[in-house]
Amino acid sequence: MQEFYRDTWAEIDLDAIAYNVKQIKRIHPTKSLFVVVKANGYGHGDVEVSKVAIEAGANCLAVSGLDEALRLRQSGIEVPILVLGMTRLKDVPLAARHNISLTAHDKMWINQLVQLPLKEKIKVHLKVDSGMHRLGLMDSDQVKECYEDLCRASMVEIEGIFTHMATADCDSEYLDYQIRQFRHLIKELDLTGVKYVHLENTATLLQKEFQFDHGIRLGLGLYGINPDEDFIPISFDLKPALKLFSNVVQVKKIKKGDKVGYGATYEASEDEWIGVVPIGYADGWIRLHQGRNVIVNGVECEIVGRVCMDQMMIRLPNPIPMGTVVTLIGEGMPVERVAREIGTISYEILCLISDRVPRVYKKDGKIIAVKKMRFE
Ligand SMILES: *Cc1c(COP(=O)(O)O)cnc(C)c1O
């Protein structure tokens, strides 16, 4: 097993990933489950997460770009992989060679795709824009025309058709509008033979029941996180898979009036114990965390002074031994709270954890692998 030589690490519970897959499979037993592992599996590790999710019952993978898909293929994964973003036309033959499914998102792109001299069939999912106005076709005539062009092309297989919801975690009315709009845009298509009609991201699948789609795209829920607990109450649990830890590397007593960190922005209001924690913005622990709390021995301790590139300081209630564990994300400090307190979303906190932070993988309570992505 790989070793790592620093006091900061992310722990990923692969049993939690498997558990979450099974929970979603339990409520949607008949639908194909695409697990979304873009951005290195939301920071958890794409290959490790994919393998465990597939073992637990996931049917397909979804990523953002072709590089991410190729990485998964190179790791020996054989299930269908869908690229959700736009793929350049010159890269289509490469995708076809590796049996990677692409998103057909634009009329001009589709016109050129069907003229490519392909040696292998390319699988595509037609992307319909039902109201988010990101990728996809938004006009019903255009959807129909493009669909028929793709049907006629001998080297193209339409494997799926899909759309994406903009407000499933915050506005049910607009969500309902988008669902109606999606149904309207595809109503004239003969979809027999299209394997996957899919529209549900985590927030949608946690609150809606549909009969007409055959696939769900599970991102944040795979990692055990509800996009918005207040807006989407669910009656079953998901288990968060990632924890972020560090160890205190120095403890010192400062005097009332002493200052801490770059810019000397913190001044001790009495004699205080300060701990140095070796994590900083180069690890994705950005400067906005100044003034927030971390957990040490079950007690909340404030991050004082500016977060540096590689280190930060915390105020301790009393002296503690060097090496004491600091929980930045985990028990007592869920990622949802971390995100809320700096005005962002859990997705961003997780993706920001940089590849300098080693990932420690646990299964059945035991460490089974360590990944040092930056140093591979
Ligand atoms: C990222 C993404 C998802 C997953 O969304 P979650 O909210 O994480 O479940 C699904 N579909 C598309 C098109 C995406 O880009």
Side-chain angles (χ1 to χ4, degrees), residues 73 89 123 136 155 194 273 279 289 294 296 314 347 358 363:
R73 279 281 179 262
L89 286 155
K123 291 179 182 150
M155 295 312 279
V194 174
W273 288 99
I279 185 169
H289 291 295
V294 295
V296 182
I314 59 178
Y347 299 78
K363 212 172 176 182

Side-chain angles (χ1 to χ4, degrees), residues 36 38 42 84 134 164 201-202 217-220 347:
V36 183
K38 62 195 180 194
Y42 292 37
L84 297 165
R134 196 168 65 178
H164 192 48
N201 56 358
T202 299
R217 301 188 305 272
L218 180 68
L220 201 65
Y347 299 78

Side-chain angles (χ1 to χ4, degrees), residues 27-28 30-31 163 165 168 175-176 178-180 182-183 197-201 203-216:
I27 52 172
H28 290 291
T30 60
K31 293 183 185 177
T163 192
M165 300 302 164
L175 173 64
D176 289 337
Q178 277 199 269
I179 293 162
R180 282 197 307 278
F182 182 52
R183 300 186 79 137
V197 177
H198 50 111
L199 62 102
E200 299 178 63
N201 56 358
T204 311
L205 75 90
L206 288 179
Q207 58 174 319
K208 292 271 175 192
E209 272 287 344
F210 308 105
Q211 300 309 325
F212 77 99
D213 65 341
H214 336 120
I216 51 190

Side-chain angles (χ1 to χ4, degrees), residues 133-145:
H133 301 333
R134 196 168 65 178
L135 292 184
L137 303 168
M138 48 188 291
D139 167 277
S140 58
D141 290 338
Q142 213 173 63
V143 170
K144 192 156 185 284
E145 204 179 303

Side-chain angles (χ1 to χ4, degrees), residues 10 38 45 72 79 151 162 165 176 225 233 238-239 248 265 301 309 327 353 355 359 363:
K38 62 195 180 194
L72 294 169
V79 302
C151 282
F162 73 114
M165 300 302 164
D176 289 337
I225 300 154
L238 293 169
K239 288 191 178 148
V248 172
T265 60
C301 300
M309 188 184 288
T327 302
I353 301 172
D355 63 0
R359 283 10 181 219
K363 212 172 176 182

